[in-house]
Amino acid sequence: MTQNIFDLDDPRENYALYRLANWIHINTRPEVIRRQLLFETGEPVSVRLIEETERLLRASNYLYDVSIQPIAYRDGVADIEVTTRDTWSIDLGISVSREGGENKGRLSVKEDNLLGSGIALGISYSSDVDRSGTTFELADRNILGTRGAAVYSHANYDDGNIQSLSLQRPFYALDARWAAGFSASESDLRDSTYNAGNVVAEYRHRRRAAEAFGGWSAGLIAGWTRRYSIGVLHQDDDYDLEPGKTAPERLPEDLTLAGPFVRFELLEDAFRTDVNLNLIGRVEDFAMGVQSQLQLGRARTEFGSTRDSWLYSASVSNGFDVTRDSFLLANVGASGRYAEHGENQSLGAAASYYHRRGRHLVYYAALSADAVHNPDVVDPLEIGGDNGLRGYPLRYQSGERRVLFTLEARAYSDWYPFRLFRVGGAVFYDTGRAWKGENQNTVNSGWLRDVGFGLRLLSARTSKGNVLHADFAFPLDVDPSIDSMQFLVKTKATF
């Protein structure tokens, strides 16, 4: 049963504006939901399968709520009721945000659930410190119930363009037995190098990439899924000086990588659901078991590569229940190339800790650390007002090493204005640093700290479901060029 945005049987939602929204909105078609279920009429069903189906449906941003319940049982046969409630899927908006001392703007016309089909179609205009331009998007992530997905986007900016295409049938569930896909993208943009929040060099970066793969799995066995894939990839990065712009001290080297790869995934069926952690009043899913992937490839000059190289990437994450009211999520990843020596090798780790104190308060802590050896571009790790240090200008420090630590006290209220928004707030402390490279911040190169507080506003009834952040942040380690207070307004996917 697919339900409309507002429940008119609830007196709090039976108003003229809400009735108008329901009338304008086209409900998700029942067959669109039915095609995404992991069970069919006449097939055995289990609690595990119902829970995984709910997780998959909740990942569809055009659905506000999902409930799958057995309503009758007789002679070994269960009647299952699937109930979903839609979100407002038309994005007609003007947004303005500010972070790191810079303004951003966006104007969009997008439908995330075209005629109730689950297809997304839209066009938007955005403007930020890097570029301005329009983006066209088209996506169908469950083509006619085949589990196939097609995504296309094309963006024209004042400094270049980006376009991408993806066609694939992914491993859509833990028990899925095969997957295959193809993706391609190309971009031609102007990249910038920053120092102390200011652009110090610019250059042209053209990139073309393509990948095709096929994979197979024996499915979910004793709580574990193992997946095997083989494929081929092609990546081509070209760099040029930008006429009329300050040239970097070192222009990145042109590089082509082409060849086969193998991939292995190991996944554990262990998840938890919760509310009031990264969102407000919405059910959230967290992977509490092992989620790992290892990929090894070989780039060969016979296929057009610049040089013979081994290509590798690996990642693993896990969740740990610390107490009844707290848990830890951790992940580590590595990637790079090896020819005669290591190239563009990166290593990163992160951990997030949640500790609940009643229904309305959560203490949150996050720590991340990254390192890069022999990078392709100068000082690829950045830190500032747009990526973790809210009291500082954007991209304030850069380098080949980075550490960031955040503490937050998050408050979640029951206030639900107009049945449209969920309201919360946070008090926070950030500290971090980026260092060791060719373009270090010589004005303020040490550890940086800030404190602040802010409002959180969840757009509960829209398909975006984003959280509006309005923060006041105060830097504690300043130089004369930094304002004593930063005001940030932005939307994020989480709290």
Side-chain angles (χ1 to χ4, degrees), residues 58 63-66 85 274-285 356 359-360 362 411-416 419-424 456-461 465-467 495:
R58 276 195 291 266
L63 296 178
Y64 172 76
D65 194 20
V66 177
R85 182 172 296 282
D274 216 320
V275 294
N276 288 353
L277 290 174
N278 290 328
L279 299 174
I280 311 174
R282 295 283 292 270
V283 176
E284 305 172 53
D285 298 295
R356 184 180 299 281
R359 290 183 57 245
H360 300 294
V362 167
Y412 311 82
S413 77
D414 292 327
W415 190 26
Y416 197 2
R419 308 290 291 178
L420 297 175
F421 305 100
R422 300 281 190 177
V423 181
R456 302 292 181 265
L457 203 64
L458 172 70
S459 179
R461 300 290 183 150
N466 287 334
V467 181
F495 205 95

Side-chain angles (χ1 to χ4, degrees), residues 473-487:
F474 305 89
L476 302 181
D477 303 281
V478 300
D479 68 62
S481 67
I482 298 178
D483 293 334
S484 60
M485 182 194 74
Q486 294 280 349
F487 177 56

Side-chain angles (χ1 to χ4, degrees), residues 88-153:
W88 178 258
S89 56
I90 303 175
D91 181 12
L92 298 172
I94 300 175
S95 65
V96 177
S97 62
R98 181 175 178 83
E99 57 183 348
E102 299 292 341
N103 297 322
K104 299 180 180 180
R106 183 173 180 268
L107 173 64
S108 63
V109 180
K110 185 177 181 182
E111 170 58 77
D112 285 315
N113 192 9
L114 184 66
L115 301 177
S117 65
I119 296 173
L121 175 67
I123 188 169
S124 62
Y125 172 83
S126 61
S127 177
D128 58 30
V129 66
D130 293 312
R131 56 188 55 90
S132 302
T134 58
T135 301
F136 170 80
E137 300 173 88
L138 175 64
D140 186 353
R141 303 185 188 279
N142 192 33
I143 302 172
L144 298 177
T146 63
R147 306 291 181 177
V151 181
Y152 173 75
S153 69

Side-chain angles (χ1 to χ4, degrees), residues 155 157 159-164 184-191 204-209 236-238:
Y157 296 110
D159 68 335
N161 58 79
I162 304 174
Q163 62 178 338
S164 64
S185 64
E186 64 175 358
S187 62
D188 183 349
L189 297 172
R190 184 175 63 241
D191 286 352
R204 177 65 47 178
H205 181 192
R206 299 178 182 87
R207 178 178 176 85
R208 292 168 294 279
D236 187 14
D237 289 275
D238 297 323

Side-chain angles (χ1 to χ4, degrees), residues 8-303:
L8 301 184
D9 292 331
D10 186 339
R12 296 170 298 179
E13 297 185 9
N14 192 0
Y15 290 99
L17 179 62
Y18 301 157
R19 291 194 296 270
L20 176 62
N22 279 1
W23 180 74
I24 294 173
H25 175 74
I26 298 176
N27 269 13
T28 303
R29 301 172 190 171
E31 61 268 23
V32 172
I33 302 298
R34 189 178 302 113
R35 290 166 179 168
Q36 296 182 65
L37 302 180
L38 298 180
F39 51 87
E40 296 182 4
T41 301
E43 292 185 345
V45 67
S46 64
V47 172
R48 188 207 70 79
L49 212 55
I50 289 175
E51 291 177 347
E52 185 176 9
T53 301
E54 288 181 332
R55 289 196 301 270
L56 292 176
L57 290 174
R58 276 195 291 266
S60 300
N61 58 7
Y62 52 82
L63 296 178
Y64 172 76
D65 194 20
V66 177
S67 175
I68 302 178
Q69 298 287 339
I71 58 175
Y73 180 83
R74 60 188 180 280
D75 300 327
V77 178
D79 292 335
I80 304 296
E81 182 180 67
V82 180
T83 304
T84 63
R85 182 172 296 282
D86 278 12
T87 59
W88 178 258
S89 56
I90 303 175
D91 181 12
L92 298 172
I94 300 175
S95 65
V96 177
S97 62
R98 181 175 178 83
E99 57 183 348
E102 299 292 341
N103 297 322
K104 299 180 180 180
R106 183 173 180 268
L107 173 64
S108 63
V109 180
K110 185 177 181 182
E111 170 58 77
D112 285 315
N113 192 9
L114 184 66
L115 301 177
S117 65
I119 296 173
L121 175 67
I123 188 169
S124 62
Y125 172 83
S126 61
S127 177
D128 58 30
V129 66
D130 293 312
R131 56 188 55 90
S132 302
T134 58
T135 301
F136 170 80
E137 300 173 88
L138 175 64
D140 186 353
R141 303 185 188 279
N142 192 33
I143 302 172
L144 298 177
T146 63
R147 306 291 181 177
V151 181
Y152 173 75
S153 69
H154 182 88
N156 281 320
Y157 296 110
D158 54 5
D159 68 335
N161 58 79
I162 304 174
Q163 62 178 338
S164 64
L165 171 67
S166 173
L167 300 169
Q168 63 173 304
R169 196 264 199 184
F171 285 113
Y172 61 89
L174 290 171
D175 203 41
R177 304 307 174 93
W178 67 274
F182 167 80
S183 62
S185 64
E186 64 175 358
S187 62
D188 183 349
L189 297 172
R190 184 175 63 241
D191 286 352
S192 301
T193 301
Y194 279 76
N195 189 296
N198 301 308
V199 176
V200 295
E202 297 174 87
Y203 55 91
R204 177 65 47 178
H205 181 192
R206 299 178 182 87
R207 178 178 176 85
R208 292 168 294 279
E211 178 183 304
F213 78 95
W216 65 96
S217 171
L220 183 64
I221 300 175
W224 293 86
T225 295
R226 294 168 176 81
R227 297 169 176 168
Y228 308 87
S229 301
I230 59 173
V232 292
L233 62 82
H234 184 278
Q235 299 174 4
D236 187 14
D237 289 275
D238 297 323
Y239 303 91
D240 287 309
L241 298 178
E242 188 75 355
K245 303 294 183 179
T246 302
E249 293 186 10
R250 176 175 67 86
L251 189 67
E253 177 187 1
D254 293 348
L255 181 66
T256 299
L257 301 170
F261 67 84
V262 295
R263 182 164 58 225
F264 172 70
E265 297 174 78
L266 177 65
L267 311 175
E268 184 180 5
D269 181 18
F271 297 85
R272 68 177 288 167
T273 58
D274 216 320
V275 294
N276 288 353
L277 290 174
N278 290 328
L279 299 174
I280 311 174
R282 295 283 292 270
V283 176
E284 305 172 53
D285 298 295
F286 296 89
M288 298 299 293
V290 173
Q291 308 279 306
S292 60
Q293 177 177 293
L294 173 65
Q295 180 169 313
L296 181 64
R298 181 63 169 165
R300 300 282 295 180
T301 55
E302 293 94 327
F303 302 133

Side-chain angles (χ1 to χ4, degrees), residues 331-379:
N331 65 79
V332 62
S335 64
R337 304 187 305 271
Y338 191 87
E340 296 180 356
H341 51 80
E343 301 174 348
N344 205 45
Q345 296 180 307
S346 66
L347 175 66
S352 301
Y353 175 73
Y354 300 83
H355 183 82
R356 184 180 299 281
R357 300 288 291 179
R359 290 183 57 245
H360 300 294
L361 181 64
V362 167
Y363 295 123
Y364 169 80
L367 173 66
S368 63
D370 302 277
V372 179
H373 171 68
N374 195 14
D376 291 338
V377 300
V378 173
D379 292 359

